[in-house]
Amino acid sequence: MIHYSACPHDCPSTCALEVEKIDELTIGKIRGSRENTYTAGVICSKVARYRERIHHPDRLTQPLRRVGRKGLGNFEPISWDQALDEVADQLLKAEQQHGSETVWPYHYAGTMGLVMRDGINRLRHTKRYSRFHSTICVTLAWNGFIAGTGKLAGVDPREMGQSDLIIIWGTNAASTQINVMTHALKARQERGAKIVVIDTYKNATAKQADLFICVKPGTDGAVACALMHILFRDGLADRDYLRDFADCPEKLEDHLLVRDPKWAEKISGVSADAIETLGKMIGTTPKTFFRLGYGFTRQRNGATAMHAALSVATVAGSWQHNGGGAFQSNGAIYHWDKTLLEGLDVMDPATRLLDQSRIGAVLTGNPDDLKNGPPVTALFIQNTNPMSVAPDLNLVHQGFSRDDLFVCVHEQFMTETAKMADIVLPATMFLEHDDIYQSGGHQHITLGPKIINPPKGCRSNHEVVCALAERLGVKHPGFDMDAKTLIDATLQSSGWGTLAELEEKRWIDCQPDFRSSHYLDGFAHADGKFRFSPDWSALAPQEFGPTDIQMPDLPDHWDVIENANKEMPYRLVTAPARHYLNSTFTESPTSKRRHKYPSAMIHPVDAVNLGIKDGETVQLGNHRGEITIATEIVDTAQQGVVIVESIWPNGAFVGGKGINVLTGADPAAPVGGAAFHDTRIWIRAQPQH
């Protein structure tokens, strides 16, 4: 029998799924829904083989208590009541000693379901635990987009199928957002559309492009400025549109006079001829769709790079046309009322806000990161694996190894973070509980109902949060509802109808009308103008951005990246791997077989200079640490750029620490964010035996 759901994982596609149910405990095949107009029957290979994951023999199915020294991975089974009682007791003891802010509920996007992901905030707010500044993924991209448009929403991504030129900028969609390629390839097949990819290496998406622009990491703003220079210089800028819809086009044009393709070539490594070619393509193709990703924003100048790329669409006037304009995320279209989900009615804004990406500094007691408050002595973790995915990993590991830190991890597998826990709780997977999903990469609210029963012993995030709340003595209406009742109440209070209606329809298409999506009645700033000169200081919370630098007034290459130098002459990009999703699917047999082992892609000229051969192991390092890794000598990126597709488990590396040993956690402007692809390194050959 076929049932319907949505992919819960940390991906903008949030695919609508058709799930084959074998019996009450077993699924068969999973396919993309052919009826959903965005998923269009296509899903990634990772989710298509989900039965490998949900029926994996290594799933956690019983609560565990640590035995012996922290980090050795020795545990004994205990009952659920014992586990929950002990967690509650430890949280209360921590609170009695240091105050409620000593407890930090830490979560992220292991599930994107609103109930199972966000319900931890209800516990946080009712208890006045430390709040959570979410910076590890989207902060830089979203703020760069909002700076221009005033709102996190764009053109209907299905309009890619109506485009004549599709620019996929800074996202390896073939590996990480497969449905982008569905609609782009449809436009190529049906309309003869051209596909342009701008990225740091020739990945699976770039290999399908008509034109590939291979850019040095952190220099996308220079390319964007040169493209706008061409549009103004050659009379291809839509001046009538700019007069009506932009704040300062004349000022921008003057600013760009010296930012020509030759200037951009020196910065980005992209030939002036390639930039000229793309500029002419954009300027002569009204239906140009800019599909802007996250990857190119994971730099210290990431927000300004996003704003600069977005500005190209405005200078060209692409927003006016069906199949033209720009899209990054649709987060602003859903108008959720999350009061019941997150306990927003009891949130105390006076409780401190701690930066997710700075978990290493937080746990090692940096006063600034602790906001001069008490130490964090208790963590309750759901949906994330910071011992692997967080930046500045040596510091993260140091923090987790503290003997005075109590850690409870609610997980599906024994991750690196779970191994550091005092109590481990087994979690359900998405087909084993009820939830609801919104997409970032398209426009649907999708229901994810419970389809099969979980293994005996697994409990959902909602069940665990409610059980802890009861033991901790806090009340809120959201704790008294089961997941379906909470979904129904949230849908109704948000203006999206009832659960019964959604069960019948399966999803809701929330895309605003054409004029709204294309900002044809004005952008979302008060004066209706697109901001070439944004007020970066209006974005919040400002206290998390660097305070010693001034952001550019206009689109530019902002040279605050971690440039290569004499001691560290290479730049590292930790791009997503095709068959892993952050640290998820690293346990799946097929993913492990296809990826084999971690490797560093090194340019052939660099390999000759270093005296290394394909397959040999090298050390990559910087001031944060070093790792040992195999090499893959391949001409996919510019000389001096090293690509490591990740995230591999720490245990896949010699020494037991993974690639994020090398990445920095210093916050990027304007309001924080991790710069995962902005890392300088040295490379040292190892003696071969």
Side-chain angles (χ1 to χ4, degrees), residues 94-147:
E95 180 180 353
Q96 289 163 4
Q97 185 173 2
H98 296 286
S100 63
E101 290 179 322
T102 195
V103 180
W104 195 20
Y106 193 94
H107 75 298
Y108 202 55
T111 175
M112 297 293 280
L114 301 191
V115 175
M116 302 303 167
R117 182 191 64 196
D118 299 337
I120 193 172
N121 286 326
R122 195 181 330 116
L123 184 64
R124 182 194 315 277
H125 295 148
T126 54
K127 284 295 297 176
R128 290 169 173 75
Y129 293 151
S130 286
R131 293 183 295 137
F132 189 78
H133 183 32
S134 175
T135 58
I136 209 164
C137 181
V138 301
T139 311
L140 294 164
W142 285 5
N143 281 290
F145 195 95
I146 293 166

Side-chain angles (χ1 to χ4, degrees), residues 327-646:
F327 181 83
Q328 206 287 321
S329 174
N330 250 340
I333 71 173
Y334 295 105
H335 53 76
W336 289 113
D337 174 4
K338 292 188 177 182
T339 302
L340 282 171
L341 283 173
E342 298 194 36
L344 298 179
D345 51 336
V346 295
M347 183 185 74
D348 181 358
T351 56
R352 67 179 175 183
L353 186 63
L354 303 181
D355 187 339
Q356 171 192 25
S357 299
R358 300 281 298 166
I359 183 173
V362 167
L363 294 183
T364 53
N366 184 291
D368 291 338
D369 288 287
L370 290 169
K371 304 303 176 186
N372 295 308
V376 168
T377 61
L379 289 170
F380 172 49
I381 299 175
Q382 291 183 322
N383 313 325
T384 190
N385 183 17
M387 280 284 291
S388 176
V389 306
D392 204 357
L393 201 59
N394 274 331
L395 203 60
V396 175
H397 283 218
Q398 181 183 334
F400 267 92
S401 64
R402 282 170 38 203
D403 288 331
D404 68 330
L405 176 68
F406 172 77
V407 179
C408 172
V409 175
H410 187 198
E411 253 298 354
Q412 298 162 345
F413 291 92
M414 186 58 77
T415 63
E416 291 95 343
T417 306
K419 289 177 183 176
M420 296 299 293
D422 298 282
I423 299 290
V424 179
L425 306 175
T428 53
M429 293 191 186
F430 78 107
L431 298 174
E432 301 164 350
H433 55 239
D434 295 299
D435 214 333
I436 189 170
Y437 304 86
Q438 73 170 55
S439 170
H442 53 97
Q443 58 284 101
H444 291 94
I445 293 171
T446 309
L447 183 65
K450 179 179 177 180
I451 293 175
I452 61 172
N453 293 324
K456 186 178 180 181
C458 295
R459 295 189 186 181
S460 73
N461 289 4
H462 179 65
E463 291 174 295
V464 169
V465 164
C466 293
L468 284 176
E470 182 179 8
R471 285 166 170 80
L472 293 167
V474 288
K475 303 289 186 182
H476 190 273
F479 294 134
D480 298 326
M481 300 177 177
D482 63 19
K484 293 182 74 170
T485 305
L486 194 51
I487 291 168
D488 190 29
T490 300
L491 285 168
Q492 292 190 52
S493 65
S494 304
W496 292 119
T498 67
L499 174 59
E501 292 167 342
L502 182 56
E503 286 174 328
E504 182 178 351
K505 294 184 293 187
R506 296 183 225 148
W507 52 74
I508 303 168
D509 187 338
C510 306
Q511 184 68 43
D513 62 53
F514 182 88
R515 292 193 66 83
S516 299
S517 300
H518 288 254
Y519 296 102
L520 297 184
D521 295 314
F523 287 89
H525 295 292
D527 61 359
K529 304 282 190 178
F530 183 92
R531 290 283 188 272
F532 289 131
S533 182
D535 181 4
W536 295 106
S537 67
L539 299 166
Q542 282 287 313
E543 64 266 26
F544 286 93
T547 58
D548 56 345
I549 51 176
Q550 178 69 37
M551 296 187 71
D553 292 330
L554 291 163
D556 211 340
H557 168 63
W558 190 29
D559 194 16
V560 293
I561 59 176
E562 199 168 274
N563 284 301
N565 59 23
K566 184 177 180 180
E567 292 75 26
M568 291 170 276
Y570 302 95
R571 293 264 290 156
L572 173 67
V573 174
T574 55
R578 185 181 188 110
H579 299 288
Y580 296 156
L581 180 53
N582 299 322
S583 65
T584 305
F585 296 101
T586 58
E587 71 289 319
S588 298
T590 302
S591 294
K592 292 166 70 174
R593 185 172 66 250
R594 290 179 178 176
H595 279 308
K596 298 179 182 177
Y597 52 82
S599 63
M601 301 181 197
I602 298 176
H603 192 278
V605 174
D606 294 326
V608 170
N609 292 338
L610 289 161
I612 57 176
K613 297 178 181 179
D614 188 67
E616 291 182 348
T617 57
V618 296
Q619 286 184 303
L620 310 182
N622 56 22
H623 58 287
R624 302 181 187 99
E626 58 187 59
I627 64 165
T628 301
I629 193 169
T631 58
E632 184 179 352
I633 311 305
V634 59
D635 186 6
T636 62
Q638 290 194 33
Q639 187 179 343
V641 177
V642 177
I643 309 293
V644 177
E645 292 185 330
S646 43

Side-chain angles (χ1 to χ4, degrees), residues 150-169:
K151 182 171 74 170
L152 187 64
V155 171
D156 186 336
R158 293 169 296 195
E159 285 188 32
M160 279 184 285
Q162 309 304 315
S163 300
D164 295 321
L165 175 61
I166 300 160
I167 300 175
I168 301 173
W169 200 323

Side-chain angles (χ1 to χ4, degrees), residues 216 219 222-223 226 259-275 638:
K216 288 181 183 176
T219 64
V223 174
R259 289 161 174 78
D260 63 8
K262 287 291 186 183
W263 167 84
E265 180 178 12
K266 292 176 183 177
I267 296 168
S268 68
V270 179
S271 73
D273 288 344
I275 297 172
Q638 290 194 33

